[in-house]
Amino acid sequence: MSLNQISKVYATALLELAQEANSLESTEEELSTLVDIFFSDDSIRHYFLSPLVDPSEKERTAEKSVQGKASDIVANFITLVVRKNRFLFLKDILEDYRTGVDRLKNRSSLRIVSKDSLGKEAIDRITKSISSKFGREVRVSEQTDPALIGGFKLFIDDFLIDASIRAKLAGIEEALLQKKIPVGAFE
């Protein structure tokens, strides 16, 4: 099984359980919170990824740390992921789970990448425009990328709308290279 398929298999299983329990979005919130906690603290992440720590000890620790803090579905899921030595895939599982929830709710995922934060008003305008263009609700996340010169990139489902300055300059360069300038035209 490829690495990409591992996260999809686990996400699909969790999606089915959450759908049966009518808790798609609460499961997503709980899982997101736990993934943030596990991966924001280096010592926790290293503990669960360490080959030196006994796997059964990892499982007991995971079980103790999530019991009472998450629903049975999420707590059992986290314990299973640790038991099966799939802790490293938790972030990917969460993303695949979100994609599945979006698909079930007929919602699109929009990621806005810009040099600096665009501000609420600009994000709202972009969201409204994309929502009307695709005819569905949009879940928005924003990222900054200092490598961008200016402008922004929109990633929606499998589409990329590149409105960055770098893309505009590349388009101008391509247009100039396509234009045939006769030799001696500038003499």
Side-chain angles (χ1 to χ4, degrees), residues 64-172:
K64 285 179 187 175
S65 64
V66 295
Q67 287 300 343
K69 295 178 179 82
S71 66
D72 287 343
I73 290 173
V74 175
N76 292 337
F77 182 76
I78 293 292
T79 305
L80 173 74
V81 167
V82 171
R83 179 183 318 128
K84 296 293 187 178
N85 198 25
R86 302 293 194 217
F87 181 83
L88 182 62
F89 297 98
L90 264 176
K91 283 184 173 182
D92 295 329
I93 292 169
L94 174 60
E95 286 308 309
D96 288 336
Y97 181 84
R98 282 182 175 147
T99 301
V101 170
D102 287 346
R103 190 176 55 254
L104 289 171
K105 299 269 185 186
N106 194 29
R107 182 170 52 197
S108 290
S109 173
L110 170 64
R111 185 168 49 112
I112 302 172
V113 180
S114 59
K115 180 169 180 64
D116 299 312
S117 181
L118 296 178
K120 182 168 176 24
E121 189 176 306
I123 290 174
D124 288 345
R125 278 197 326 258
I126 292 169
T127 303
K128 186 176 178 184
S129 174
I130 294 294
S131 181
S132 67
K133 184 70 107 182
F134 282 80
R136 54 174 62 172
E137 184 184 336
V138 178
R139 179 199 311 237
V140 181
S141 64
E142 184 183 16
Q143 277 181 280
T144 57
D145 182 0
L148 287 176
I149 299 171
F152 55 86
K153 293 180 181 182
L154 303 176
F155 297 88
I156 180 154
D157 296 335
D158 293 334
F159 298 100
L160 165 65
I161 300 170
D162 193 345
S164 66
I165 301 296
R166 187 178 312 272
K168 303 272 190 230
L169 290 173
I172 291 169

Side-chain angles (χ1 to χ4, degrees), residues 20-39:
E20 285 175 15
N22 200 23
S23 64
L24 287 172
E25 290 174 339
S26 62
T27 298
E28 179 184 347
E29 288 173 24
E30 290 177 24
L31 184 62
S32 178
T33 301
L34 290 173
V35 167
D36 286 346
I37 291 169
F38 286 142
F39 285 89

Side-chain angles (χ1 to χ4, degrees), residues 32-50 87 91:
S32 178
T33 301
L34 290 173
V35 167
D36 286 346
I37 291 169
F38 286 142
F39 285 89
S40 65
D41 187 336
D42 287 342
S43 61
I44 294 173
R45 187 177 70 250
H46 290 304
Y47 174 82
F48 283 109
L49 293 175
S50 174
F87 181 83
K91 283 184 173 182

